[in-house]
Amino acid sequence: MTHTEIEITAELVRDLLRDQHPDLAHHPLRLGARGWDNQLWRLGDDLAIRLPWATESADALLRKEHAWLPALAPGLPLPVPVPQRLGEPSARFPRPWIVTTWVQGEPADRAPVTRAEEAADVLAVFLTALHRPAPEQAPAGRDRGGPLADHAESFAQGLAEAVERGLIPDPDAVRAVWEDAVAAPEWAGPALWLHGDLHPANVLTADGTICGVIDFGDLFAGDPACDLAAAWILLPDGAADRFHAAYQPAPDAATLRRARGWAVLKALACILIGEAGVRGRPGGKATWGPPAHAALRRLIATTPH
């Protein structure tokens, strides 16, 4: 089922609440955003409802958040959307949905970080807290957190498409970052809890710094390099070194090389999604392009150390 097969309206959401969580049905309701996997509806001042609408995988991601995030959230130093209720599939809406706490702030693709040093410290403290050894039963990443070499075809396709569309002025420089990352030794430590999808639309800002992290649908256990890519994806020029100095334990050279590879993958994907938004193609998000281009410039301009 996709968004073309069912229309999510305020009336539908209200009916779902009346059916399964009637004590919440009287709160004011308004559409907040249409995301990649889910629609987000504000419920009063302090809650939100997320309903899958555009991908088949969204159901499992919501159930994963509901199962794992409430236990992790108290140990995190930034606000995150903590699941409060689970809505089960029904005749009205044949998919699961969740009620979470609402996190204040503006997505960083619309309100970028400007206070670089403070944001670097905030992000480092957050990821230091999150990156703890995960239990054996923790979920695995859909396509992230393992060896970068597994993504060679995806990288090649993404780069080729971006070049064909005239979006990458120096593909050889991009390829050099990727090849160095793939050549780095693999992660030999324990599988750590990871957010898995730290791009600007999933990080909130206020007054120029990071104030919240949302969308934990990709929460999984794996190589921390996947999340450490955020230093280049989220922070302004020159802030990555401060982030790496504040993050504990200090990442080794191999981990930073792999992180650059994950950052290249993320930047290419967001560049293509951004261009699709500019061109008005389905699934495009124009605001994703500028921060992704900036991230790629940062990666090309710096060398591993």
Side-chain angles (χ1 to χ4, degrees), residues 46-225:
D46 302 320
L47 296 174
I49 303 174
R50 293 173 66 204
L51 304 97
W53 80 302
T55 61
E56 293 286 353
S57 60
D59 298 35
L61 302 185
L62 287 179
R63 289 193 182 277
K64 179 168 59 173
E65 284 190 62
H66 184 265
W68 292 101
L69 194 53
L72 291 173
L76 300 178
L78 284 174
V80 301
V82 185
Q84 305 291 302
R85 308 281 184 92
L86 178 65
E88 293 291 354
S90 65
R92 292 188 190 275
F93 187 72
R95 307 184 70 171
W97 46 279
I98 60 174
V99 179
T100 74
T101 55
W102 172 256
V103 182
Q104 298 287 343
E106 289 294 321
D109 61 319
R110 300 179 180 275
V113 167
T114 55
R115 292 158 61 186
E117 292 186 354
E118 182 174 345
D121 291 344
V122 169
L123 183 62
V125 170
F126 175 81
L127 289 181
T128 294
L130 175 62
H131 290 175
R132 298 290 185 237
E136 288 186 8
Q137 64 270 32
R142 286 188 291 176
D143 57 357
R144 300 162 197 174
L148 269 172
D150 292 349
H151 299 270
E153 183 177 351
S154 176
F155 167 78
Q157 290 176 347
L159 181 60
E161 183 177 350
V163 170
E164 181 181 350
R165 295 183 181 280
L167 304 173
I168 306 294
D170 191 351
D172 288 340
V174 176
R175 196 174 292 109
V177 176
W178 170 256
E179 290 175 351
D180 178 76
V182 171
E186 294 182 10
W187 175 246
L192 306 181
W193 277 119
L194 307 176
H195 178 280
D197 201 19
L198 289 172
H199 60 74
N202 285 341
V203 173
L204 305 180
T205 65
D207 299 322
T209 191
I210 296 170
C211 67
V213 178
I214 60 174
D215 195 352
F216 281 75
D218 276 299
L219 182 72
F220 70 98
D223 175 4

Side-chain angles (χ1 to χ4, degrees), residues 231-245:
W232 293 279
I233 296 293
L234 297 173
L235 300 175
D237 294 354
D241 285 348
R242 184 180 180 104
F243 167 83
H244 295 138

Side-chain angles (χ1 to χ4, degrees), residues 242-284:
R242 184 180 180 104
F243 167 83
H244 295 138
Y247 175 85
Q248 297 297 321
D252 60 22
T255 298
L256 293 182
R257 289 167 66 191
R258 294 193 308 276
R260 287 164 55 82
W262 287 111
V264 164
L265 275 179
K266 180 67 72 177
L268 283 176
C270 291
I271 283 171
L272 291 170
I273 292 169
E275 198 256 354
V278 170
R279 302 294 181 186
R281 294 196 297 272

Side-chain angles (χ1 to χ4, degrees), residues 7-24:
E7 182 181 7
I8 299 175
T9 64
E11 290 76 17
L12 172 62
V13 178
R14 183 81 67 192
D15 285 341
L16 293 175
L17 288 170
R18 289 194 184 104
D19 289 346
Q20 299 192 35
H21 301 285
D23 59 311
L24 301 179

Side-chain angles (χ1 to χ4, degrees), residues 20-58:
Q20 299 192 35
H21 301 285
D23 59 311
L24 301 179
H26 67 282
H27 290 293
L29 184 69
R30 64 187 187 277
L31 179 64
R34 291 184 174 93
W36 190 262
D37 295 298
N38 304 292
Q39 286 194 20
L40 179 74
W41 289 74
R42 292 289 306 274
L43 185 62
D45 294 329
D46 302 320
L47 296 174
I49 303 174
R50 293 173 66 204
L51 304 97
W53 80 302
T55 61
E56 293 286 353
S57 60

